[in-house]
Amino acid sequence: MRLTATNAESVELGLSVGTSLADARAVVPDLIIHDHDPVADADLLDRIADSCVRYTPMVAADPPDGILLDITGSAHLSGGEAQLAEAVATWLRRKRIDARLARASSAEAAHALARFGHGANDEDESHAIRRLPVAALELEAESELGLHRAGLKTIGDVADRPRSVIAARFGAATVFMLERLTGKADSPLNPRISNPPLVFERRFVEPIASKVYALKVLQGLLEEARVKLAEDDLGGRAFETTFHRVDGRVQHVYVETGLPTRDPTAVTRLFDERLDGLADPLDPGFGFDMVRLSVPSTEPLRPWQDDIESETKAEDNTAELLDRLAIRLGRNRVLHFRPNSTHIPENSQIAVPAIDTSMIERWEPPLSGEPPSRPLQLFDPPQRITVIAEIPDGPPKRFQWRQKPRTIIHHEGPERIAEEWWRSTNDPIGRDQLTRDYYRIEDDEGRRYWVFRRGLYGREAADPNWYLHGLFA
Amino acid sequence: MSCFAELVAATNYSFLRGASQPSDMVTQAIKLGMAGIGIADRNSVAGVVRAYVALKDALEDLSAKQREQFGFKLVVGARLCFADDTPDIIAYPTTRHGWGCLTRLLTVGNLRATKGDCLLQLQDLLDHSEDLLLIAMGDDSHAAALRMLRDIAPDRLWLGAAMPRSGRDHRQLARQETLARKLGVPLLATNDALYAEPDDRQLHDVVTCIREGTTIAEAGKLLAANAERHLKSPNEMARLFNAYPEAIAASTEILDRISFTLGELKYEYPNEPVPGGWDPQDWLEHIVLEAAKERWPDGIPDKANQLMEEEFTLIRSEGYANYFLTVHDLVKFARNQDPPILCQGRGSAANSIVCYLLKVTSVDPVEHNLLFSRFMSKERHEPPDIDVDFEHERREEVMQYVYRRYGRDRAGICATVIHYRPRSAVREVGKVLGMSEDMTTLMVSTVWGSHSGMMKDTRIEENGFSLDNPEIIRLKLLVDRILQFPRHLSQHVGGYVLTQGRLDEIVPIHHAAMEDRTFIEWDKDDIDALGLMKVDVLALGMLTCIQKSFDLMRLHGLGDYELDTIQHEDKRVYDMLCKGDSIGVFQVESRAQINMLPRLRPRKFYDLVIQVAIVRPGPIEGDMVHPYLRRRSGEEKVHFPSPDPPHDPDELKDVLGKTKGVPLFQEQAMKLAIVAADFTPEDANRLRRAMATFRNVGTINQFEAKMVEGMVARGYQREFAQRCYQQIQGFGSYGFPESHALSFARLVYVSSWIKCYHPAVFTCALLNSQPMGFYAPAQLVRDLREHGGEVRAADINHSRWDSTLEATDSGALALRLGFRRIDSFRKEWAERLMQARGEKNFATIEDLARRADLPRRALRLLADADAFRSIGKDRRQALWDVRRMPKGELPLFAAARQRELREEDDQPLPAMPLVDHVVADYQTTRLSLKGHPMEFLRERFTSEGVLSCADTDAAKHGSRVRTAGVVLTRQRPGKGNAIFITIEDETGTVNALLWARHINRLRRPVMASRLMLLEGEIQRSKEGVVHLMTTNVIDRTGDLDHLSDTHFTNPETTKGDKLANRQPSPSHRHPRDVRILPKSRDFH
């Protein structure tokens, strides 16, 4: 692992980009590191670029760390180029982003000046360009070294030589780059086109005062959304509606689904459920002037044929039901069980919000020909019982539960289950934990129990306790 | 007498499955009172020898009478795990023949797999089942396979049954019983053990996670539900299987049917080297006598005759003649090559006159009064072990010869067991416990090197982790237990086992990672323990260097020498060594050795032997160095500690006479234990094994009380006894026996002699043997120049691939650097260039390009290394011109091969400043003949009051100085109390010593600096050794940026502008541009 970025303090301490993490740690043991996340970096760059639309519509991201603005024709809006630059700098400072700004007559020149120039833009541009180091040409390392070795250190040094001399040694591309930097060749800017988010809205000339009508409009928007989603083979997992009132108040309503969908009826039903349950009911006041629907989360959804196999339908109904229940009762209240890989019986399943899992997990099938090894009902916590059993690890002969003595006639076991030593709070490797010996037993009245002894006799406990953990059907 | 034996027991040689050492399994089985134990690892017999040794050790602890009654029996085999759906089968050979079948079977599986795996099929077992007892761990679903096995091995198959406490054990057991009855095979009770004690469960869970690549929190049901798979006592097993007493009894029945033990692996030496009609012993005696006559043409001295007779007798009675002849055969092969491959035996073989006369070793035991019994003795019954070093660049030829001559089915390389080391253990266990890699990396960041024994508490705390944190304790507890666990097998560097019969009938064979290599499953300790024969074909860089020196000397008419014809005891050589002038010399070139030389002042060969042996962890940790030096210089009387009467007061004089009463060699420590601490020869033998073979941290300590108390009881001072013991402990890791030190001292002398008389030859040979030794080429070249030698830069019209020697006008020899010094330059380019050059030098760049047909890249590298000076072009101009050469092939037709590049209309390039040249030299060849980077910074440092290295070296004792230089080496030896740093500038070098207590404060600059400023006090020993006792270190690497603006991007950046100073992303920069100076060499 290597460092991909360093801040000013770490540079002071002698770290630089490309140092291996182990080396860096040896130098600065208390170094704070974060994982390199190029996607997040690109995302941030995109977001900054998006926001720059306030200065000019012609914005291009210049990955990995640059943004290019074509301010031709828009600088006067800020009162001139210098003022515009100042405004951008102030704005970025406020956002706590370190930035280096440069203005030039071509994108390449601005790019180079920002990275290799010395900051202030107060001198003649061609002069500044000539004083840039040859690194600004962004050649291959080998060619750059070649220029250095020849004693050509600045763009000016290179530009003073005949173009043919340079081209013969460093290729036509170098000359072309040189021309671009010095503004002799043109390069168009590649502006950003952002992906339009899935937003559907309806504005009204006259504010509408009827809630019923507003919901009708929403239905229309959902229909629009369905068409759009179907085009891309997508379905929504979340839908958000905002109702904008004339007086500026905005009401948000948000629903989620367990499976992707684009069925307007189903989503309308969810919205209805949510609106009915709102503590602050939808109130048109002096009227809504806009209703907007957005689909913030989508997943692929292939088109399907209706009603050919009724089984598919049935499953969808369950999903729909789960969605409605979740909306009505709250997402954390409709749960379903998932298997959890552990030997500890009470932890071998966990309940998670049903809406979070569209995938049905596979439960371990019971061994064929074997009786069930776990009871249907578990006591939480297990109930203490008094037992008469053979030492060290014989099955219970008799035990007392709920004031009633029970005599055992059949038994099987023990099934020995050790605690998870890494979860122990007292001993780091769980040497003080007690192992459980489970027995499946049946009494003379045909009742079947699941009991365990806590602690191995002699090795872990002198007089282990017994517990009833569950009942078999 | 107990009636149960666990026959399905795995050890940690079932890699990442078993969780106990083989010795722990055996010890626990004995403790539980079992009748015996069967060790069977997964498709491997790698751990069985350790079990065998553990049992032998246990027996040695008993009195003779107890031994007789001791009924415990170890049987060894393997658990066969199949690639098809055959159940696991545990196979135990009953006879030597059966063992051969088993190892051949495993070999078949090993060689079928591509990497480290063993792919077995049922058919393989059916083909190799003779004399094997089989225990099948199957159930109903395997009925078909079981029936086939029963048919081929009707009375040799058992069905294994276990009580894993799964909740349905009894039903399961009843089903197994029914199956067994149906098949007509007996049932065998077993616990299918994976570890010795229930407490090993945690470790077993951890190795399971490592194997499955998961964490403990996520492993879930991959882990075992309980801790039941430990060894259980016979009583417990009888209780569990009380319904099936015959299943318990079956275990001892199996035990009784097995007569095979590993002790039966009788070794047969290859017979190749003996000519037809000769008996091996007669042939050996014949050639040794012939050699003796040649060695002593005026008559063989009586003493030599006597020694030979003594050795012949022993070799005859033990039947080792073939072994000596086999080693001789390898050595003869090496010497008969053209040019010959230099070789020399090391280790205790140097005690033998037979080895000397066979030219296996080059130390004359007659002259040095060495005892053959140290090499081999009747009492020890151990086969001789001869290690031979060959020139490192040509060892492969010898290895291929071994395969050619003995065949792949009779020759194999030993394995090396790779153990968990602190770094790997912390990293892997940490991962299992869910710690981030950053955290574990940080935790081991101050473990220098990979061999630092245990993970010390302080190391963890040093890195800012609290030992109060349960997670850290958990990690440490587990790491401490997994250390010394085997991790995987790898091939040994050069230890060969050669046999007369099939090797795969002794031990399974594996494919090695290197193509065309196979290795066996046992390592050298196993082979020693079983008494098998091994010959080490090792590589030694210094032999390459010496051979190249001899070649150069012959070429330049400086004499025709061989290892044993260099003049002995030359005063000038010792004068040079006494000054500590030993850069490049074998063994005595390290900082610590160089410091020792002026104090020890070697004046004769034996002094070198001591010099080699004394700067080792053994004598240092035993605090033997200073007493020896004081006695040698006469400051202290030579005194032999004596015991109380009635013991012989002079008993130590024999043992320690040669070394002035101070134990320095390994065998002295042994002898000390026998003579002064009343060790029996068996005890001493075990102590020796604990020291030399299974380097087990645990075993050696049990001897402490025995030795110290033994000596005290005889009237020695406790403090002396303690020191002796500490030294033995130190030897455990690195100790030299006297004969080994002697062999090495030969090479020390020879290399010193060459350096002394032919420094240019020596440096040239060293450069051509790189990488080797302690110093980088820059230091070697510098050393030569300081000795008045002339060094010339690589040049297209003068250099060859290797560095060469050229006669100067004055008749002396100058060193011409070869093209191999140029980074990334290829040998094939150099050869093409040399061929094209022939007799006629190149006149222009085009001339070179055309005649040698070199690619543009080669030309650029040559130009950048400033190799065009002979045609009047410096680096800058040459590079400028080379860049212009057209791409690709030059025109096909000779007519077009004229000077075709037009003159250009351009101003000349600016002249290249010297400093730029120096920097570029370092970047391309890692050394510069034009200057030292520090001289360009001198003014800056002088203005700060920083002394040059030469001035520092001359400063008064006790004065406080500041000095700066480029870091050559950083070293933290032994226990890590001190860090040695060597820095260099244009005037010389300074050796600095930094106590470890400063390291926390100074870690950053110490570890990261390329250019270092040191502050401290001068300490000057009376022998004139100067050290800077450093108290502060300042990283001045940044100053290198000011050397040359060529390499740094922005000439106009003001210093305060940090952002502008930031380095561009490294993706499109060659590391060479960032690095001005080559990395220092750091040793651990």
Side-chain angles (χ1 to χ4, degrees), chain B residues 56-107:
Chain B
K56 275 213 310 205
D57 283 349
L59 281 169
E60 276 174 27
D61 282 336
L62 303 173
S63 68
K65 197 169 154 220
Q66 283 171 313
R67 221 173 293 178
E68 238 163 68
Q69 294 164 345
F70 191 71
F72 187 85
K73 188 164 174 182
L74 168 73
V75 295
V76 294
R79 183 187 187 115
L80 308 172
C81 300
F82 294 87
D84 52 21
D85 48 9
T86 311
D88 285 6
I89 309 276
I90 290 89
Y92 290 111
T94 54
T95 60
R96 172 68 183 84
H97 176 70
W99 176 261
C101 286
L102 178 64
T103 54
R104 279 178 72 169
L105 167 63
L106 292 172
T107 303

Side-chain angles (χ1 to χ4, degrees), chain B residues 234-297:
Chain B
N235 285 342
E236 172 73 358
M237 290 302 281
R239 188 177 70 83
L240 290 173
F241 285 84
N242 64 352
Y244 305 91
E246 68 283 359
I248 295 283
S251 70
T252 48
E253 283 158 25
I254 293 179
L255 220 52
D256 289 343
R257 280 181 61 179
I258 298 173
S259 63
F260 173 74
T261 75
L262 287 172
E264 279 176 52
L265 292 181
K266 187 84 179 78
Y267 195 75
E268 290 164 68
Y269 298 104
N271 212 13
E272 260 80 359
V274 184
W278 281 85
D279 170 73
Q281 180 76 24
D282 294 346
W283 176 245
L284 176 70
E285 293 188 14
H286 169 75
I287 57 175
V288 169
L289 281 173
E290 289 298 307
K293 279 179 206 150
E294 204 179 305
R295 166 74 178 80
W296 292 287

Side-chain angles (χ1 to χ4, degrees), chain B residues 962-1027:
Chain B
R962 287 151 55 81
T963 188
V966 170
V967 181
L968 291 187
T969 55
R970 281 172 265 242
Q971 196 183 3
R972 188 175 191 172
K975 293 187 193 158
N977 293 337
I979 294 164
F980 293 100
I981 301 167
T982 306
I983 61 168
E984 175 199 70
D985 70 5
E986 76 280 14
T987 63
T989 57
V990 164
N991 299 307
L993 190 150
L994 181 74
W995 292 114
R997 62 174 181 273
H998 295 303
I999 184 79
N1000 275 346
R1001 183 167 53 90
L1002 298 173
R1003 179 183 289 110
R1004 231 164 265 177
V1006 168
M1007 308 273 283
S1009 307
R1010 286 274 160 81
L1011 198 166
M1012 218 179 241
L1013 194 157
L1014 301 172
E1015 297 176 352
E1017 198 180 296
I1018 293 294
Q1019 196 179 74
R1020 185 180 289 277
S1021 77
K1022 61 179 183 308
E1023 296 87 5
V1025 180
V1026 177
H1027 268 116

Side-chain angles (χ1 to χ4, degrees), chain A residues 1 8 12-13 16-18 21-22 25-30 33 65 98 100 115-118 131 133 135 139-146 148-154 160-162 165-166 168-170 341-343 364 367 369-371 392-393 412-424 427-431 440 456 459, chain B residues 165-168 170-171 175 198 201-202 205-206 216-217 219-221 223-226 228 230 239 433 437-439 441-442 470 473-474 477-478 860 864 875-876 879-881 883-884 904-910 912 916 920 923-924 1003-1004 1007-1008 1045-1047 1049-1052 1057-1060 1062-1063 1065-1066 1068-1070 1072-1073:
Chain A
M1 282 193 288
E12 285 274 274
L13 291 171
S16 60
V17 169
L21 181 62
R25 291 277 205 195
V27 177
V28 189
D30 47 355
I33 63 146
D65 57 359
D98 281 341
R100 293 162 59 78
R115 281 166 182 76
F116 301 97
H118 67 134
R131 283 173 43 182
L139 303 177
E140 273 172 41
E142 208 265 341
S143 298
E144 190 183 322
L145 187 70
H148 280 304
R149 287 277 202 262
L152 308 182
K153 294 173 183 171
T154 64
D160 287 345
R161 304 259 150 192
V165 169
I166 301 296
R169 289 170 175 83
F170 300 97
S341 178
T342 173
H343 292 288
E364 212 174 289
L367 288 170
E370 288 281 336
D393 56 4
E412 185 166 65
E415 177 178 358
R416 190 158 289 178
I417 297 179
E419 292 290 326
E420 299 182 327
W421 52 267
W422 58 95
R423 294 193 204 283
S424 162
D427 184 282
I429 54 170
R431 280 167 298 202
R440 299 188 298 143
L456 298 181
R459 201 161 90 202
Chain B
R165 296 307 205 188
S166 70
R168 47 197 181 89
H170 289 284
R171 271 184 298 128
R175 269 209 292 262
R201 167 187 171 228
Q202 286 86 345
D205 284 351
V206 168
I216 196 88
K221 290 190 174 170
L223 305 178
N226 54 43
E228 289 304 295
H230 58 92
R239 188 177 70 83
L433 295 181
E437 202 171 324
D438 294 333
M439 202 161 146
T441 309
L442 178 54
I473 305 173
R474 185 174 304 148
L477 282 171
L478 292 165
R860 281 186 199 172
D864 208 11
R875 165 181 282 126
R876 176 160 287 176
L879 259 174
W880 194 245
D881 291 351
R883 282 204 155 267
R884 202 182 157 208
E904 280 178 328
D905 173 29
D906 193 12
Q907 318 98 294
L909 295 167
M912 193 168 193
D916 281 4
Q923 287 175 341
T924 52
R1003 179 183 289 110
R1004 231 164 265 177
M1007 308 273 283
D1045 53 26
T1046 301
H1047 308 281
T1049 40
N1050 194 341
E1052 294 185 353
D1057 188 356
K1058 282 193 199 89
L1059 272 168
R1062 110 194 132 146
Q1063 293 169 8
S1065 77
H1068 54 267
R1069 281 179 77 91
H1070 191 281
R1072 189 177 59 194
D1073 307 347

